[in-house]
Amino acid sequence: MRAIFISYRRSDSEGEAGRLFDDLVRRFSEQAVFMDVDAIKPGRDFRKAIDESIHSCSVVLAIIGQQWLGSSDEQGQKRKTTICGWR
């Protein structure tokens, strides 16, 4: 079970989230910090892994980049503000 969950959008805060992950791992250990790139094994259902992890963590850090409010999907529609089912 991981204690810290890092939520971010790759399009505008991947670098910052990666640096935060590195700092938290140095402080708490890799087993204590969840970040999708490092924690989800290839072939695993991504959404299910995220949902399970966020519900088992004590702390959720949401990294909000400069483009977060204006983010759009592939069709140009404004993205919904959702963190694993929470709005």
Side-chain angles (χ1 to χ4, degrees):
M1 184 183 310
R2 296 174 193 260
I4 303 168
F5 183 102
I6 301 174
S7 176
Y8 67 102
R9 286 193 175 153
R10 289 185 184 163
S11 61
D12 72 342
S13 56
E14 183 174 22
E16 293 84 352
R19 287 190 296 280
L20 177 60
F21 174 80
D22 292 341
D23 289 344
L24 291 171
V25 165
R26 277 194 292 279
R27 173 78 167 109
F28 297 105
S29 85
E30 192 164 344
Q31 290 70 39
V33 184
F34 179 93
M35 188 166 146
D36 61 345
V37 174
D38 294 316
I40 299 176
K41 300 201 183 310
R44 182 143 188 245
D45 182 304
F46 186 80
R47 169 124 0 236
K48 185 175 181 178
I50 294 288
D51 286 344
E52 289 172 359
S53 296
I54 201 166
H55 287 93
S56 68
C57 287
S58 301
V59 175
V60 174
L61 298 174
I63 310 304
I64 299 175
Q66 293 182 8
Q67 304 302 318
W68 189 78
L69 282 177
S71 293
S72 58
D73 63 16
E74 297 80 28
Q75 290 79 37
Q77 299 294 314
K78 189 171 180 176
R79 291 182 62 167
K80 293 179 182 172
T81 306
T82 302
I83 298 177
C84 299
W86 301 339
R87 292 187 181 179

